[in-house]
Amino acid sequence: MNAVGRFPESLPALADSPLAVRGLSASYGGKPAVIDADVTIVPGTLSAIVGPNGAGKSTLMKAVLGLVPRQTGDVTVFGQPLTRMRHRLAYVPQRASVDWDFPVRVLDVAMMGLHRELGLLGRVRPHHRARAEAALDRTGTLDLARRQIGQLSGGQQQRVFLARALAQGADLFLLDEPFAGVDAATEATIMSVLKSLRDEGKSVVCVHHDLSTVADYFDRLLLLNRRVLAEGPVDLVLTDRNLQATYGGRLSVAQLAAIR
Amino acid sequence: MGTEFVQLSLSPILIGICAAVACALPGNFLLLRRQALLGDAVSHVVLPGIVVGFLLTGTVSAGPMMLGAMASALLAVLLIETVRRLGRVEPGAAMGTVFTSMFAAGVLLLETTGASGVHLDVEHALMGNLESLIWFDATGWGSLLDPAALAALPPELFRMALAMTAAILFLAVLRRPLVASTFDEGFARATGQRPSLLSLGLVALSAASAVTAFQAVGAIIVIAMFVVPPATARLLTDRLWTQVGLSAVIAALAAILGYVLAGYGPLWLGGQHSVSAAGMIAVVSGLGLLLAAAFGPRRHRREALPEA
């Protein structure tokens, strides 16, 4: 048990949890980035993973997905090994992780979310296209469908990334810094999409860096600084003590006051 | 355009087209993955393989040398991936390290074993020998229907056509995972596609194209065709598959035009001798890139639109 505060009374049985991580350690560039992390996502909630720069937030998410190797730890998705549940999981990487000068259109990116249905040689049928277009519509980017992706603003690109995940029709969404470098309108659009997913009973996990919006946006919070320092309902976890433990006492009184 | 053309020019032109297209097709994806120099790398790393193939068999026949070259190319591909992962360096740096080392090893091997005494000359490998791939048994266009004459076509034509077909099939069958993983490898892996396997497949296909073309037409065409037609096509369109199609057309046009200009251009200008077809094909494609860079519709990254 490495957490300062944990609230087990609210945790689901492991087999019901959309995402359960036990004892995960991973390194990044030769240094330990995440140490012995336990995460239990509650179905139908919006969860944030928050911590200072270099706390291992993205590494934790990538290690869960197998994008960086895990040294130790078990991951189950809906009670099963990840490899058998990938179809129920959607991942939105950091926007900066790809080259937006890539010669595809917005609709092509959304269609990538349908790779499982389309297979290698399956023909694109009207209902496939309709699903990709519905996903774009939900993120307010349908009118950009025929544009090359490099023509879009950063916020529009982030919404297209979200649309690709929506087109997958997943039950668990993992988003890495979805609000990084986007405009206020995009932030509001993304947040309303995420809330509507939650209201449909889906589970959403975001790596997040903006402490001032955590309480407004999320139901549950996981504080991370290499180790998990606290995990639970946002109003219980978001305490001065937990934040100072996570941020190494570097937050000022004024900063703490602004958070709640 | 009679018997002489069929005998002397038809098969070099066809081989040139197949070689150019076989290299340009995978080149599109190498370019987008910032691995465009792979063709260059492969055409250097095959040297030790060719020398070893010669040393083991004692002949300069195509078979063992091709096998040696293929083995070399595969070894290089694995080494490049290893250096890139262990050293955490850019793909370009990993390629540079591996291909110069292996090429140098090939040169040393060539010198110390006495293989250099035999006809394994570097100039031949560099310039290729497109003009010599003639169809001696042809007696005119009618020979295209004559099985006996067809059987006497240079074997390079069949090999190159096979390499081109392999490239077309690879791109056609794997088009979706190829695009998805080239654009966003993290997403592809998270959704259970196999981008590392696909990446290895692409590189292996490129190596096979490069070795086959290298052996038939020389290194210059290989290096040029992996990079130049895709780069030219990229300046003309923002649609990936339009780019791939255009790159094939550009590569084929460069092969035809380059061959014709090399054969007849100097004569038209009052010269006495023709010039290297491989060199002219590369130059023509370079000029095409220059034109596209000056006038192509997609040569500027466009400004982002105002927020919707």
Side-chain angles (χ1 to χ4, degrees):
Chain A
M1 187 57 127
N2 54 44
V4 175
R6 231 179 235 293
F7 304 89
E9 74 282 359
S10 60
L11 294 184
L14 273 194
D16 299 329
S17 174
L19 175 65
V21 178
R22 290 294 173 268
L24 186 148
S25 295
S27 63
Y28 187 79
K31 289 185 205 154
V34 179
I35 301 164
D36 196 25
D38 290 0
V39 183
T40 309
I41 298 303
V42 176
T45 59
L46 276 169
S47 305
I49 300 174
V50 170
N53 288 334
K57 306 183 292 287
S58 289
T59 305
L60 172 59
M61 189 169 271
K62 286 179 181 161
V64 162
L65 292 163
L67 304 184
V68 302
R70 290 199 284 273
Q71 284 155 337
T72 60
D74 295 312
V75 174
T76 58
V77 176
F78 297 103
Q80 305 260 348
L82 171 69
T83 43
R84 292 171 57 183
M85 284 286 136
R86 286 198 191 271
H87 61 284
R88 295 185 67 184
L89 179 153
Y91 169 54
V92 181
Q94 288 186 18
R95 181 168 57 87
S97 67
V98 306
D99 171 16
W100 289 92
D101 206 33
F102 199 80
V104 289
R105 298 171 307 167
V106 167
L107 183 62
D108 301 325
V109 175
M111 291 293 295
M112 287 177 197
L114 294 167
H115 71 99
R116 206 170 283 275
E117 287 80 353
L118 289 169
L120 283 183
L121 299 170
R123 199 139 51 88
V124 176
R125 298 185 184 282
H127 71 270
H128 294 125
R129 197 176 302 273
R131 235 173 85 189
E133 286 174 348
L136 290 172
D137 195 24
R138 204 165 164 184
T139 60
T141 49
L142 183 56
D143 53 335
L144 305 170
R146 318 250 151 227
R147 293 263 166 83
Q148 198 260 331
I149 52 173
Q151 288 177 281
L152 272 52
S153 71
Q156 290 166 335
Q157 289 170 346
Q158 186 68 58
R159 285 187 265 162
V160 172
F161 251 24
L162 178 59
R164 178 179 62 177
L166 292 174
Q168 285 179 261
D171 298 309
L172 168 64
F173 291 78
L174 303 182
L175 297 87
D176 196 348
E177 298 268 12
F179 305 114
V182 305
D183 54 287
T186 293
E187 185 154 338
T189 306
I190 292 177
M191 207 49 232
S192 90
V193 171
L194 297 183
K195 284 192 164 144
S196 72
L197 286 171
R198 186 256 327 263
D199 296 343
E200 292 164 19
K202 305 189 185 246
S203 311
V204 180
V205 184
C206 295
V207 168
H208 191 59
H209 66 283
D210 183 0
L211 279 171
S212 68
T213 53
V214 169
D216 277 349
Y217 287 180
F218 295 97
D219 308 319
R220 294 180 62 85
L221 172 61
L222 182 141
L223 289 174
L224 184 78
N225 192 347
R226 299 213 196 153
R227 296 175 183 276
V228 175
L229 291 149
E231 181 190 25
V234 70
D235 47 343
L236 295 181
V237 170
L238 203 60
T239 62
D240 289 0
R241 182 165 159 262
N242 282 339
L243 287 171
Q244 291 295 21
T246 308
Y247 284 80
R250 273 173 289 150
L251 298 176
S252 66
V253 175
Q255 278 173 307
L256 288 169
I259 290 166
R260 279 161 301 116
Chain B
M1 296 285 268
T3 307
E4 192 186 291
F5 174 82
V6 176
Q7 265 186 345
L8 299 181
S9 297
L10 183 62
S11 103
I13 288 179
L14 289 178
I15 291 170
I17 291 173
C18 291
V21 174
C23 294
L25 288 178
N28 283 285
F29 287 92
L30 296 178
L31 191 75
L32 291 167
R33 289 163 176 248
R34 315 222 179 289
Q35 295 181 319
L37 282 179
L38 194 89
D40 196 357
V42 166
S43 51
H44 282 83
V45 300
V46 294
L47 184 62
I50 290 175
V51 177
V52 169
F54 165 75
L55 290 174
L56 289 179
T57 60
T59 63
V60 282
S61 62
M65 286 183 153
M66 277 278 278
L67 284 179
M70 285 287 185
S72 251
L74 280 180
L75 177 67
V77 164
L78 294 175
L79 279 176
I80 289 170
E81 273 303 295
T82 311
V83 170
R84 193 172 71 81
R85 283 181 191 209
L86 293 184
R88 295 175 188 283
V89 293
E90 293 223 359
M95 278 182 218
T97 317
V98 170
F99 89 66
T100 46
S101 307
M102 286 186 67
F103 186 62
V107 172
L108 291 180
L109 207 58
L110 199 63
E111 276 199 332
T112 52
T113 57
S116 54
V118 199
H119 185 68
L120 264 182
D121 77 271
V122 175
E123 193 181 328
H124 182 110
L126 197 65
M127 305 295 210
N129 210 3
L130 198 51
E131 294 89 339
S132 71
L133 301 173
I134 54 175
W135 188 13
F136 198 66
D137 288 22
T139 53
W141 288 102
S143 298
L144 284 173
L145 301 172
D146 174 7
L150 284 175
L153 272 165
E156 285 85 352
L157 179 56
F158 299 110
R159 274 189 228 134
M160 238 24 276
L162 194 67
M164 183 177 77
T165 311
I168 292 171
L169 283 177
F170 184 90
L171 262 58
V173 172
L174 297 173
R175 60 185 192 275
R176 285 191 185 125
L178 206 49
V179 175
S181 67
T182 302
F183 173 56
D184 188 347
E185 190 187 342
F187 174 82
R189 277 171 71 188
T191 52
Q193 304 180 52
R194 307 284 293 277
S196 355
L197 204 63
L198 197 62
S199 177
L200 207 63
L202 175 68
V203 169
L205 172 86
S206 308
S209 281
V211 169
T212 317
F214 175 81
Q215 200 260 337
V217 299
I220 286 181
I221 295 191
V222 173
I223 297 168
M225 289 303 139
F226 266 106
V227 184
V228 182
T232 310
R234 180 67 190 89
L235 294 170
L236 301 176
T237 177
D238 272 335
R239 301 285 300 274
L240 180 53
W241 294 106
T242 313
Q243 176 194 321
V244 171
L246 274 176
S247 75
V249 171
I250 291 167
L253 279 179
I256 298 169
L257 210 62
Y259 182 85
V260 171
L261 283 179
Y264 303 102
L267 307 181
W268 296 335
L269 294 175
Q272 299 289 312
H273 308 286
S274 53
V275 295
S276 154
M280 188 57 86
I281 290 171
V283 168
V284 167
S285 63
L287 290 175
L289 177 61
L290 202 66
L291 283 176
F295 305 109
R298 297 288 175 266
R299 65 193 192 281
H300 298 301
R301 292 188 181 199
R302 277 161 303 181
E303 300 290 311
L305 298 169
E307 276 301 323

